Amino acid sequence: MTSGRVFLLRHGETEWSRTGKHTGRTDVPLTERGRELAAAAGRVVATLRADAPPALVLTSPRSRAQDTAHLAGFRVDAVDERLAEWDYGEYEGRTTPEIRETVPGWTVWTHPHPGGETPQDVTERADSLLADARARLGAGDVVLVGHGHFSRVLVARWIGLPATDGVHFAMEAAGWAVLGEERGVPRLDHVNLRPVTP
């Protein structure tokens, strides 16, 4: 029987996320607003969690995720490569409208990423990470700090959907998703809970 839940936190705003550029491998820092959102995300989650420290806190290797974790008030146990964003390959740093100039109708969820990851690649990463998170839930909550598209993949995989069904879940800057269970059946407790800012 588990006693914890999995808390997913997307990093705060960066200049690239604000302008819609696909940001996988590139290490883009948080904007000032991104830092404010990250700190506010810590206050949001305080209303959802018990006072006990999480059993495990992992972050993506990107500084925007690590900085978000710290600003939200978490002590990071480890950096985990599996929490990196979807690798967009040749589309890194490009916006969807730019990509659609040569690939009409392109989306992250429906089209290939030349030189990047496939849906099967991100599925394998997500499933491995979630298996490890589930194994720690007996000791309390697990917090995973990462990125928009990959967090949406984690949400989909938690409830047994294909990675590409992540399209159905929002995950905005400094947004939280909470993955729980009901009598052993995975469920979504919350999706895209965000700080309210002007």
Side-chain angles (χ1 to χ4, degrees):
M1 181 175 183
T2 61
S3 61
R5 295 184 292 174
V6 178
F7 288 77
L8 307 178
L9 175 59
R10 180 184 174 184
H11 64 77
E13 178 191 87
T14 68
E15 188 60 32
W16 280 25
S17 69
R18 188 184 65 74
T19 57
K21 292 182 179 180
H22 289 88
T23 321
R25 301 177 307 269
T26 308
D27 208 357
V28 181
L30 297 174
T31 61
E32 189 53 42
R33 181 170 184 272
R35 296 178 67 79
E36 291 167 5
L37 287 171
R43 296 189 292 275
V44 168
V45 80
T47 65
L48 302 173
R49 291 193 59 255
D51 290 336
L56 180 67
V57 178
L58 301 176
T59 74
S60 156
R62 307 296 174 253
S63 64
R64 58 191 178 272
Q66 294 178 51
D67 291 345
T68 294
H70 293 297
L71 289 164
F74 291 101
R75 182 187 58 77
V76 174
D77 294 303
V79 171
D80 195 314
E81 291 286 340
R82 295 173 297 178
L83 268 168
E85 180 58 292
W86 197 316
D87 185 339
Y88 304 115
E90 294 174 15
Y91 296 149
E92 179 80 5
R94 297 176 66 191
T95 66
T96 296
E98 289 171 345
I99 297 166
R100 286 181 172 179
E101 290 174 8
T102 54
V103 186
W106 183 90
T107 76
V108 166
W109 309 103
T110 57
H111 288 70
H113 306 75
E117 287 183 295
T118 67
Q120 184 58 39
D121 294 332
V122 292
T123 295
E124 290 170 7
R125 275 203 291 133
D127 289 354
S128 170
L129 187 59
L130 289 173
D132 288 351
R134 278 188 174 100
R136 295 296 295 270
L137 292 178
D141 294 332
V142 172
V143 177
L144 305 176
V145 186
H147 306 273
H149 285 129
F150 189 67
S151 291
R152 295 163 71 184
V153 169
L154 290 168
V155 170
R157 295 304 299 152
W158 181 261
I159 57 173
L161 297 175
T164 52
D165 278 359
V167 69
H168 298 291
F169 308 104
M171 200 70 177
E172 297 177 46
W176 286 98
V178 184
L179 312 179
E181 289 187 347
E182 182 170 344
R183 296 180 178 86
V185 177
R187 109 188 143 192
L188 302 182
D189 290 350
H190 304 282
V191 177
N192 203 36
L193 292 177
R194 300 181 304 123
V196 177
T197 58

